[in-house]
Amino acid sequence: AQSVSQHNHHVILSEAASLELGCNYSYGGTVNLFWYVQYPGQHLQLLLKYFSGDPLVKGIKGFEAEFIKSKFSFNLRKPSVQWSDTAEYFCAVNHPGGYQKVTFGTGTKLQVIP
Amino acid sequence: EAGVAQSPRYKIIEKRQSVAFWCNPISGHATLYWYQQILGQGPKLLIQFQNNGVVDDSQLPKDRFSAERLKGVDSTLKIQPAKLEDSAVYLCASSLQADSYNEQFFGPGTRLTVL
């Protein structure tokens, strides 16, 4: 069965610091990759996604993620975080085609200190 | 456009009682999902509907959990009887279609506490 690992459960950064959240998945075949975000008191929402093509994908609010197939990784990055980025971030994976359920990681809580 | 609606937002019950959750997806979305999110874990898919048919219920504990989507619009998830380990947030999501490229839109969730 597919699994997704997020190594950091809780990250605390000061504003303007750079962010990198790790995500590794277990399946060796073709995958679709997602990052979802849940801001305090809000719904889970899509931040960015990768299906194919350029392995560096850009999402909303200055976030980007890089797919490295050889490392089974899809790390999330932002060069300079803001207080408003405080949220919980979930990496997720599914397989292309048909009815393919999404497997989520355990999430990383990011706290940005002003 | 209106988002995914869920009710109730919070529910506290005692073990062995029954509980039901309701979800109304975004208008026009054919696919509806129920997830269970236990504290400290990511969402886990319980059941996926395409219109009013079940696509995947492989992780639904069928001895106590049931779900339906009559008429292919709103849906209910029921737990009967509840156990302590069912304490979790139950998330409903919807997407235009069921294929793997469609973005899922999530509701606010129902936080269930089983005492």
Side-chain angles (χ1 to χ4, degrees):
Chain A
Q2 177 73 259
S3 67
V4 180
S5 299
Q6 292 184 244
H7 317 295
N8 309 103
H9 298 292
H10 197 180
V11 173
I12 301 174
L13 295 173
S14 297
E15 276 193 316
S18 64
L19 169 72
E20 181 160 4
L21 301 182
C23 172
N24 288 91
Y25 60 93
S26 62
Y27 184 67
T30 305
V31 291
N32 294 331
L33 297 154
F34 309 84
W35 276 98
Y36 280 83
V37 61
Q38 188 166 25
Y39 298 102
Q42 295 189 26
H43 308 178
L44 200 60
Q45 57 185 288
L46 184 65
L47 191 60
L48 51 77
K49 60 191 176 187
Y50 171 79
F51 294 153
S52 62
D54 188 343
L56 185 63
V57 293
K58 296 189 183 298
I60 58 173
K61 302 185 181 185
F63 285 89
E64 63 180 31
E66 184 175 14
F67 169 51
I68 302 179
K69 188 174 181 179
S70 60
K71 295 185 178 180
F72 302 94
S73 71
F74 190 56
N75 292 355
L76 182 70
R77 300 194 295 243
K78 186 171 185 180
S80 176
V81 294
Q82 301 173 330
W83 176 78
S84 58
D85 294 324
T86 295
E88 189 160 17
Y89 294 81
F90 293 91
C91 182
V93 175
N94 72 3
H95 303 305
Y99 302 133
Q100 299 290 353
K101 71 183 175 198
V102 175
T103 300
F104 284 84
T106 53
T108 298
K109 289 185 179 176
L110 172 65
Q111 184 179 356
V112 180
I113 301 170
Chain B
E1 95 189 331
V4 176
Q6 290 187 248
S7 68
R9 294 294 310 277
Y10 304 92
K11 190 74 177 179
I12 301 174
I13 61 172
E14 295 189 350
K15 59 183 179 183
R16 291 188 290 274
Q17 286 187 320
S18 301
V19 65
F21 312 127
W22 175 83
C23 172
N24 191 29
I26 292 172
S27 178
H29 280 195
T31 311
L32 185 147
Y33 313 78
W34 283 103
Y35 288 89
Q36 179 192 59
Q37 187 176 13
I38 293 172
L39 187 65
Q41 300 181 21
K44 182 184 83 170
L45 181 70
L46 292 176
I47 188 167
Q48 178 179 342
F49 291 95
Q50 175 72 5
N51 296 311
N52 59 353
V54 175
V55 171
D56 185 341
D57 64 356
S58 57
Q59 298 189 104
L60 185 74
K62 298 181 185 65
D63 57 333
R64 298 183 301 107
F65 286 64
S66 64
E68 60 183 13
R69 193 185 183 198
L70 300 176
K71 301 181 182 179
V73 181
D74 55 352
S75 175
T76 55
L77 176 70
K78 296 179 182 177
I79 308 175
Q80 180 180 9
K83 293 186 175 181
L84 296 177
E85 58 261 35
D86 298 332
S87 294
V89 175
Y90 290 85
L91 297 168
C92 180
S94 70
S95 61
L96 275 171
Q97 291 295 336
D99 70 77
S100 57
Y101 302 99
N102 268 258
E103 179 179 352
Q104 295 184 27
F105 294 84
F106 285 82
T110 297
R111 183 176 298 276
L112 173 68
T113 302
V114 182
L115 303 176

